[in-house]
Amino acid sequence: VRKGRSVTHLSKSCDDIFSQLIQGGVTPNDLYDTVCKQEVEIVLTAHPTQINRRTLQYKHIRIAHLLEYNDRPDLGHEDREMLIEDLVREITSIWQTDELRRHKPTPVDEARAGLNIVEQSLWKAVPHYLRRVSTALKKHTGKPLPLTCTPIKFGSWMGGDRDGNPNVTAKVTRDVSLLSRWMAIDLYIREIDSLRFELSMNRCNDRLSRLAQEILEKETLSENLRESRSQPLSRSQLKLHGQQAPSLPTQLPDRAGLPACTDYTDGGSQYPKLELPGTDYMPLAREDGRENSSKDLSPNVPKLSANGSSANSNGSSTAVTSRGSFSSGQLLAQRKLFAESTIGRSSFHKLLEPSSALRPGIAPYRIVLGDIKE
């Protein structure tokens, strides 16, 4: 590497080639159209004779990076000593690692080795080269390479070549195809995560802002739907599910406007205690040992008599407790339905929270990229 730095590069870049073509009489429009239409397909094939293990290839790359880092002029004494220790560790690991494969690779192993080339080399090298072509093309024609242009494409025989290997079956082809798709998605997700970290800007054009807003609204709607589905239904709701909910009373019973209170006579507070309707509903035990169920729910409102008792449909009376709460199954069932409904306390607190689109510091690029990742 050190010798190569002082040697003049014999290969010419795209900038040199495009400059010669322009000087030779090729118009910029013809150069631009020809480059955009050009296609090169690189076909990856398996090499059963490849006996170098991928483990050693990774270690050689690691040593190459360490040697390159060692040539930095600003490297301190302590950093150089740590670098030498890293080199000693890598070289010792190589010496104590078997250099050869001791078993014949399967077609899936060969495909995995080929995909390793894509991940380690081509995934970074091809965009880097296309960026150089685009820069040179813009310099000589005024227009960069279109984003939809793919002058370099890839094919693969790995896991699908049935000419020379009888072990390549339909199952092998399917496994290799799924392996390739998995690596493609994994590489794309890495790039999306990098972009989400990089594109932290809050400013964008109106089109992207509307798209981010639509994504936020869709996510909020789906979250509310999931939460409403996750809440268990009560027995009363299960019985009334699919049926029309019972109608509410058209008028309040007598003394409904008075506070339900109990005077403390045991030396406690002299002020009455107000009992507000809450969600801590406990079913009342009936005389026969069974709990009041939703079948006690009646559309008719019990009317209080003059002595403070309510008349039921069968003519019997149910006394009002000292705290003023009715023991009617109708009112208790309605209270339970309200407490366990999806528009109860948790949903009400959500209404108090600002929507995600109105929160400060929102990054529209990250919202859109997150939707692409999903």
Side-chain angles (χ1 to χ4, degrees), residues 49-346:
T49 57
Q50 175 64 266
I51 60 175
N52 292 330
R53 300 178 59 187
R54 286 185 299 161
T55 301
L56 294 181
Q57 295 177 14
Y58 284 126
K59 295 182 182 298
H60 292 160
I61 293 175
R62 169 68 174 164
I63 290 178
H65 289 318
L66 291 174
L67 291 175
E68 183 181 4
Y69 184 70
N70 188 40
D71 288 338
R72 289 182 51 175
D74 59 340
L75 199 62
H77 176 70
E78 295 179 352
D79 292 337
R80 197 174 300 276
E81 287 183 350
M82 294 176 60
L83 185 143
I84 296 300
E85 291 181 359
D86 293 341
L87 276 175
V88 170
R89 182 168 56 253
E90 293 292 340
I91 294 173
T92 305
S93 177
I94 289 179
W95 278 344
Q96 298 178 0
T97 302
D98 193 359
E99 297 182 359
L100 306 178
R101 287 196 184 99
R102 300 301 176 179
H103 63 278
K104 184 178 180 180
T106 64
V108 178
D109 293 335
E110 297 172 357
R112 191 178 292 110
L115 293 177
N116 177 65
I117 297 176
V118 175
E119 180 183 10
Q120 297 298 324
S121 301
L122 297 179
W123 186 255
K124 296 294 183 181
V126 173
H128 178 70
Y129 175 74
L130 292 181
R131 197 169 294 116
R132 291 169 53 188
V133 173
S134 178
T135 302
L137 195 63
K138 183 178 181 181
K139 178 180 178 181
H140 295 281
T141 64
K143 295 179 291 184
L145 197 66
L147 294 177
T148 57
C149 183
T150 54
I152 300 179
K153 298 182 179 180
F154 290 91
S156 176
W157 286 345
M158 298 182 297
D161 186 6
R162 288 175 170 78
D163 291 340
N165 193 343
N167 297 323
V168 178
T169 61
K171 182 180 183 303
V172 170
T173 303
R174 182 178 183 274
D175 292 342
V176 172
S177 299
L178 292 177
L179 184 64
S180 304
R181 296 181 65 179
W182 171 81
M183 173 165 283
I185 290 180
D186 183 64
L187 292 174
Y188 278 128
I189 287 180
R190 293 185 201 174
E191 297 296 333
I192 291 176
D193 288 336
S194 299
L195 279 176
R196 292 182 68 188
F197 183 79
E198 178 182 354
L199 301 180
S200 59
M201 299 82 71
N202 296 337
R203 295 184 179 181
C204 63
N205 55 18
D206 296 338
R207 179 183 177 186
L208 186 64
S209 179
R210 288 193 301 268
L211 181 59
Q213 181 71 22
E214 294 174 358
I215 294 174
L216 283 177
E217 293 176 355
K218 181 177 65 176
E219 291 179 353
T220 304
L221 183 62
S222 61
E223 289 178 0
N224 295 337
L225 185 60
R226 282 196 303 266
E227 290 184 1
S228 63
R229 289 178 178 177
S230 62
Q231 292 184 359
L233 295 177
S234 63
R235 290 180 300 169
S236 302
Q237 288 174 319
L238 288 175
K239 186 173 182 179
L240 296 176
H241 183 69
Q243 302 178 2
Q244 185 177 3
S247 58
L248 295 177
T250 57
Q251 61 181 2
L252 293 176
D254 298 337
R255 298 178 59 188
L258 299 179
C261 59
T262 300
D263 294 332
Y264 289 89
T265 58
D266 54 353
S269 175
Q270 59 178 344
Y271 298 102
K273 179 182 178 182
L274 296 179
E275 186 68 23
L276 300 178
T279 60
D280 51 347
Y281 164 73
M282 296 296 293
L284 296 179
R286 296 175 55 175
E287 295 179 358
D288 55 359
R290 294 179 297 173
E291 296 179 355
N292 288 330
S293 61
S294 60
K295 64 183 180 180
D296 299 325
L297 195 62
S298 174
N300 298 324
V301 180
K303 297 182 179 180
L304 292 178
S305 60
N307 57 0
S309 62
S310 60
N312 294 334
S313 59
N314 56 5
S316 60
S317 300
T318 302
V320 181
T321 61
S322 60
R323 304 179 70 174
S325 59
F326 298 103
S327 61
S328 170
Q330 177 187 6
L331 296 181
L332 292 175
Q334 288 180 356
R335 178 183 295 181
K336 185 177 180 181
L337 282 175
F338 173 77
E340 296 178 352
S341 65
T342 58
I343 57 172
R345 184 175 300 175
S346 59

Side-chain angles (χ1 to χ4, degrees), residues 12-28 30-32 34-36 38 129-145:
K12 296 183 179 180
S13 63
C14 297
D15 191 7
D16 298 333
I17 298 298
F18 292 166
S19 177
Q20 293 180 8
L21 292 175
I22 294 295
Q23 294 177 3
V26 179
T27 62
D30 292 341
L31 176 62
Y32 182 82
T34 304
V35 172
C36 291
Q38 188 176 13
Y129 175 74
L130 292 181
R131 197 169 294 116
R132 291 169 53 188
V133 173
S134 178
T135 302
L137 195 63
K138 183 178 181 181
K139 178 180 178 181
H140 295 281
T141 64
K143 295 179 291 184
L145 197 66

